[in-house]
Amino acid sequence: MFAVTASQFDADNPLKGLTLGERPDPAAPEGWTTVTVKATALNHHDLWSLKGVGLRAERLPIVLGCDAAGVDEDGNEVIVHAVIGDPDRGGGDETLDPKRSLLSESYDGTFAEKVAVPRRNLVPKPAELSFEEASCLPTAWLTAYRMLFDKAGLLPGSTVLVQGAGGGVATALIALGAAAGYRVWTTSRSEGKRERALKLGADEAFEPGARLPERVDAVMETVGEATWSHSLKSLRPGGRIVVSGATSGQVPPAELSRVFFLQLSVVGSTMGTRDQLERLARFLVKSGVRPQIDRVLPLARANEGFAAMAEGELFGKIVFTP
């Protein structure tokens, strides 16, 4: 089968380790099954993998990719849940399993014509969603769903700040938040991305670090070091930051005096459960919300998608089709 793999690590030039070509078809062990991939979406996780973050050298070469929608061995249209874990070890939540991993970490991922996954990781794809739309859900959109509806503790009408409009998680946060009745504000260095965020459903869009009209109930943080201080300063007393990523750096000043004096909460969030993925798909069908897709490329041109992500030249998701 044709696949996109990580063959080496390079922190400075991650695309150097990107290899496109033939790989053996996947073998499905007991309890697993094979899915024929119809669409698969690119995430920052894939770029970090090429830098050697969260991936052991002895696993190379490994097929990249966390997200996929396709057809199972029985002909059913499915979405692949990317978290490989045991809910029983996580107290009912597979993301809390200490041994959990994502596809493309311990097992070959989805940037291929076929992928092997545990049977329990298959979620029915609603007919209303295209394969390209459905492929965007398992990482970025599921992460956003969990951040907003599980971790943030918000009610409709609350004000939410989304840092860094443009990426997959940020565009999902804007679209989902608007559909749920939140007042959504966002930031971006790009005037074009701020305008597109408004069209996507944001109520206001600001330059990074801008003084906001009022303090917000919650901040959705995926940028990290570059926006952290602004996120803390933007919260009302008792407000909450939900953080699921740190694309600009992982060690910002903590500003602990502000955290304890204003009784702020900092909550981590990673991916989501299989059940949450199924509910997310139903929510999109009911609400009419659809993922923002920046471009669709054949898998043989995956290097173009990786280059666009590395340069930040995207708004929404980049999708590959085998």
Side-chain angles (χ1 to χ4, degrees):
M1 67 176 184
F2 185 86
V4 176
T5 64
S7 56
Q8 67 180 74
F9 300 140
D10 193 316
D12 298 321
N13 182 17
L15 272 64
K16 185 178 179 181
L18 198 61
T19 301
L20 283 64
E22 291 297 314
R23 289 276 293 170
D25 283 354
E30 185 178 355
W32 289 49
T33 188
T34 301
V35 174
T36 299
V37 176
K38 296 296 186 181
T40 177
L42 180 65
N43 293 284
H44 270 100
H45 180 274
D46 305 304
L47 202 57
W48 288 111
S49 294
L50 289 169
K51 294 181 179 182
V53 177
L55 189 59
R56 303 188 307 274
E58 55 265 30
R59 272 304 283 123
L60 299 180
I62 190 169
V63 179
L64 294 169
C66 301
D67 297 348
V71 178
D72 70 9
E73 294 174 346
D74 298 320
N76 301 305
E77 297 185 352
V78 295
I79 307 171
V80 175
H81 183 223
V83 180
I84 310 299
D86 185 346
D88 291 338
R89 289 199 299 258
D93 182 340
E94 60 268 32
T95 70
L96 298 178
D97 175 2
K99 296 183 178 180
R100 66 111 171 109
S101 67
L102 302 182
L103 286 171
S104 77
E105 291 180 347
S106 299
Y107 306 96
D108 279 335
T110 57
F111 289 173
E113 294 174 308
K114 295 180 181 180
V115 62
V117 297
R119 291 185 183 277
R120 74 168 303 275
N121 283 55
L122 300 185
V123 169
K125 182 186 80 66
E128 294 86 346
L129 299 180
S130 70
F131 283 112
E132 291 81 4
E133 291 166 343
S135 74
C136 299
L137 304 189
T139 298
W141 277 70
L142 181 58
T143 296
Y145 180 93
R146 185 178 177 101
M147 291 173 75
L148 279 173
F149 304 138
D150 184 357
K151 300 292 187 177
L154 297 170
L155 295 173
S158 299
T159 303
V160 181
L161 175 65
V162 178
Q163 294 283 21
V169 176
T171 54
L173 286 164
I174 293 168
L176 291 173
Y182 300 150
R183 182 169 62 163
V184 181
W185 294 348
T186 190
T187 65
S188 176
R189 293 174 296 178
S190 164
E191 182 179 354
K193 289 182 180 180
R194 293 196 296 271
E195 292 176 355
R196 295 178 74 176
L198 294 173
K199 293 179 181 178
L200 195 59
D203 295 280
E204 299 283 352
F206 304 93
E207 294 184 0
R211 184 179 179 88
L212 303 181
E214 62 186 71
R215 292 184 177 182
V216 302
D217 299 297
V219 178
M220 302 294 108
E221 178 62 80
T222 62
V223 180
E225 198 165 322
T227 55
W228 188 254
S229 180
H230 182 247
S231 294
L232 289 172
K233 293 173 182 175
S234 298
L235 280 174
R236 64 164 175 79
R240 180 176 298 188
I241 293 178
V242 182
V243 55
S244 69
T247 56
S248 69
Q250 303 181 48
V251 286
E255 298 190 41
L256 292 178
S257 60
R258 182 181 296 275
V259 173
F260 69 71
F261 187 74
L262 295 178
Q263 301 184 70
L264 307 179
S265 298
V266 177
V267 179
S269 187
T270 296
M271 299 292 286
T273 66
R274 181 204 177 279
D275 292 342
Q276 287 173 329
L277 178 58
E278 192 165 8
R279 290 199 296 272
L280 167 61
R282 290 201 300 266
F283 182 82
L284 296 195
V285 171
K286 183 70 174 179
S287 67
V289 172
R290 296 293 184 270
Q292 177 75 29
I293 296 177
D294 179 87
R295 71 195 75 178
V296 179
L297 296 169
L299 199 58
R301 292 168 55 192
N303 55 331
E304 296 177 30
F306 273 85
M309 175 166 280
E311 296 296 326
E313 297 297 328
L314 75 165
F315 188 87
K317 298 294 292 177
I318 294 175
V319 174
F320 300 136
T321 53

